[in-house]
């Protein structure tokens, strides 16, 4: 912790010191604050006041108050805490740049999340993650980049993304949520999530979590599109479901049961519908329903971000109607059974910013 104290002390000004503090994980912040309380100087009091204005963790704020009290008790002059009012770092916060990007799922059931957080002027922490629909976060890269390198990375992604792939700019806070959610699902990269959550908690973005997606602003006269028009959008084109034993299920679904009698078309359709209904109740399919609902929430957000508010409202309508949600899931189960997807040639979603 002595190294952290020295790093704080070596910062050129108050803004840099506070920026450094908010790159730390929660337990590191607690340890640092306890050690700062032993410094016994007015500069420490000024720093604690500045940190308090931005810290969102209630327990850590309580610790800051106790630390300031101990400083005052030891004879150090410390200004009264200002829980409200304009922060001394307001100017820095206004010009700080953060970015978030999210893609739709591809033919392999993967999508990319990308985010950049400016930790100090022109220096960013760049995150790039590969997420699978069922498996969660499979790859995560984190690198420091300067502004020019970041602009080049974003431009490369934009240039290389062609429909039916979509790269949509989203809330940087929500991009962090997607990383956290994927890490929980896969059980990987959980050590990297703590510091990310602490940093993102400061952001003033309108969307931090899925619940926020349901209340985004849309004009009152926007009419939600019906289910079939929502699912017709190109953003859904690459996506299909997969499960263990899908090849056997496909054969059963497409067969006539081995009968030598050629069934009329309407009877074949009835047979398929019956098989599909039975399949929907099976655990390996039903267990994917919550993941599919989250997909629809994310796609509703993407529609809002690209200005397609009618599909945004239409997608939310599907989510809120159990019957419609079942029909939408059934649509993709049928799609998976009826069409063998060919994976398009292409590079990895994970791009090395230094490559």
């Amino acid at each position: 912790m002595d190294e952290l104290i020295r790093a704080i002390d070596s910062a050129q000004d108050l803004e840099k010191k506070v920026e450094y503090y908010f790159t730390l994980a929660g337990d590191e912040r607690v340890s640092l604050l306890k050690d700062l309380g032993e410094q016994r100087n007015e500069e420490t009091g000024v720093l604690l006041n500045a940190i308090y204005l931005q810290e969102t963790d209630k327990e850590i704020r309580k610790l800051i108050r106790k630390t300031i009290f101990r400083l005052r008790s030891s004879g150090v002059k410390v200004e009264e805490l200002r829980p409200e009012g304009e922060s001394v770092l307001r100017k820095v916060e206004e010009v700080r740049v953060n970015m978030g990007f999210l893609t739709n799922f591809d033919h392999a059931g993967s999508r990319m999340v990308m985010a950049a957080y400016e930790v100090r002027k022109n220096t960013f922490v760049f995150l790039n993650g590969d997420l699978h629909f069922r498996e969660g976060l499979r790859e995560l890269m984190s690198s420091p980049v300067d502004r020019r390198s970041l602009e080049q990375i974003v431009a490369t992604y934009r240039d290389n993304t062609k429909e039916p792939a979509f790269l949509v700019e989203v809330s940087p806070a929500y991009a962090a949520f997607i990383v956290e959610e994927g890490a929980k699902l896969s059980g990987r990269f959980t050590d990297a999530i703590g510091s990310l959550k602490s940093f993102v908690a400061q952001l003033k973005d309108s969307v931090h979590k899925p619940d926020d997606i349901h209340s985004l602003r849309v004009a009152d006269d926007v009419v939600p599109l019906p289910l079939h028009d929502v699912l017709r959008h190109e953003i859904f084109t690459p996506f299909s479901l997969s499960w263990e034993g899908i090849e056997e299920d496909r054969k059963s679904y497409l067969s006539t049961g081995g009968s030598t009698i050629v069934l009329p078309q309407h009877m074949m359709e009835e047979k398929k519908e019956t098989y599909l209904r039975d399949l929907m109740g099976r655990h390996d399919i039903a267990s994917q329903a919550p993941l599919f609902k989250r997909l629809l929430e994310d796609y509703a957000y993407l529609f809002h971000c690209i200005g397609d508010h009618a599909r945004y409202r239409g997608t939310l309508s599907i989510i809120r109607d159990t019957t419609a949600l079942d029909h939408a899931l059934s649509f993709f189960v049928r799609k998976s059974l009826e069409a063998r997807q060919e994976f398009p040639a292409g590079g990895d979603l994970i791009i090395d910013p230094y490559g």
Side-chain angles (χ1 to χ4, degrees):
M1 193 53 62
D2 290 342
E3 294 180 1
L4 293 174
I5 295 290
R6 287 196 294 271
I8 289 285
D9 289 340
S10 65
Q12 295 299 310
D13 51 40
L14 178 63
E15 294 168 357
K16 293 290 190 297
K17 294 177 181 180
V18 176
E19 286 176 1
Y20 184 88
Y21 168 84
F22 282 107
T23 63
L24 303 177
D27 57 343
E28 293 176 322
R29 294 183 189 184
V30 170
S31 297
L32 177 60
L33 289 169
K34 289 179 179 178
D35 284 359
L36 283 175
E38 304 299 325
Q39 298 304 298
R40 302 293 188 268
N41 57 65
E42 292 186 13
E43 289 77 11
T44 299
V46 173
L47 174 59
L48 290 171
N49 261 307
I51 290 172
Y52 184 83
L53 291 171
Q54 295 190 80
E55 180 60 71
T56 58
D57 187 290
K58 292 182 180 179
E59 292 302 317
I60 294 182
R61 286 169 66 88
K62 186 185 299 183
L63 175 59
I64 294 173
R65 291 195 295 269
K66 290 181 179 178
T67 305
I68 289 176
F69 177 78
R70 285 198 298 270
L71 283 175
R72 288 202 187 101
S73 299
S74 66
V76 177
K77 181 180 178 181
V78 183
E79 290 185 6
E80 292 293 330
L81 285 169
R82 294 177 295 158
E84 298 179 355
E86 183 174 335
S87 166
V88 295
L89 302 181
R90 182 172 180 272
K91 182 177 180 181
V92 175
E93 289 180 345
E94 288 177 346
V95 299
R96 185 171 294 159
V97 176
N98 302 297
M99 299 179 184
F101 295 89
L102 189 63
T103 72
N104 55 331
F105 284 97
D106 63 16
H107 294 83
S110 293
R111 64 175 170 173
M112 186 270 293
V113 59
M114 182 171 71
Y117 305 100
E118 190 171 17
V119 293
R120 58 179 181 272
K121 189 173 183 180
N122 295 323
T123 300
F124 299 80
V125 172
F126 174 75
L127 300 178
N128 187 10
D130 172 24
L131 302 113
H132 187 267
F133 176 72
R134 288 181 292 107
E135 299 172 15
L137 187 63
R138 300 192 296 191
E139 299 290 344
L140 181 65
M141 182 187 70
S142 174
S143 301
V145 296
D146 57 30
R147 185 179 298 271
R148 177 173 294 183
S149 298
L150 177 61
E151 291 172 350
Q152 292 173 345
I153 293 169
V154 173
T156 299
Y157 272 111
R158 290 189 186 278
D159 291 344
N160 292 337
T161 303
K162 308 296 180 184
E163 293 186 9
F166 289 80
L167 176 69
V168 181
E169 187 164 3
V170 298
S171 150
Y174 193 68
F177 173 86
I178 291 294
V179 173
E180 178 188 354
E181 181 182 49
K184 289 180 179 177
L185 184 58
S186 69
R188 303 177 62 191
F189 309 104
T190 53
D191 292 343
I193 302 304
S195 57
L196 179 60
K197 288 177 63 177
S198 298
F199 182 85
V200 170
Q202 310 169 66
L203 302 181
K204 307 301 182 184
D205 299 338
S206 59
V207 178
H208 277 249
K209 56 189 183 302
D211 287 349
D212 300 331
I213 295 171
H214 292 255
S215 56
L216 295 174
R217 290 186 179 181
V218 175
D220 293 338
D221 59 352
V222 173
V223 178
L225 288 179
L227 184 148
H228 65 276
D229 283 335
V230 170
L231 300 185
R232 189 180 296 163
H233 193 275
E234 291 83 357
I235 202 170
F236 289 101
T237 299
F239 179 72
S240 62
L241 294 164
S242 64
W243 58 90
E244 187 176 353
I246 187 174
E247 291 300 331
E248 290 302 316
D249 287 327
R250 180 179 288 119
K251 291 177 184 178
S252 299
Y253 175 79
L254 297 176
S255 74
T256 61
S259 174
T260 57
I261 300 174
V262 178
L263 298 176
Q265 185 63 34
H266 73 279
M267 294 184 68
M268 285 289 295
E269 288 301 319
E270 290 176 1
K271 179 178 181 295
K272 288 181 178 180
E273 287 295 334
T274 300
Y275 188 87
L276 187 59
R277 283 195 299 270
D278 292 341
L279 194 61
M280 289 285 291
R282 223 169 62 188
H283 175 73
D284 51 357
I285 305 299
S287 63
Q288 298 191 50
L291 299 175
F292 180 68
K293 181 180 178 181
R294 282 288 300 113
L295 176 149
L296 290 179
E297 284 180 317
D298 285 348
Y299 281 22
Y301 184 30
L302 298 185
F303 284 138
H304 190 277
C305 290
I306 64 178
D308 194 341
H309 292 171
R311 278 196 173 82
Y312 161 74
R313 278 195 165 167
T315 308
L316 292 184
S317 296
I318 296 172
I319 295 170
R320 293 164 182 168
D321 184 333
T322 302
T323 301
L325 187 59
D326 287 343
H327 285 166
L329 180 60
S330 176
F331 171 86
F332 286 101
V333 173
R334 178 189 289 270
K335 174 183 176 182
S336 303
L337 292 172
E338 293 184 346
R340 187 183 300 275
Q341 297 293 333
E342 297 294 337
F343 288 19
D348 198 338
L349 287 173
I350 307 300
I351 294 180
D352 185 344
Y354 299 110

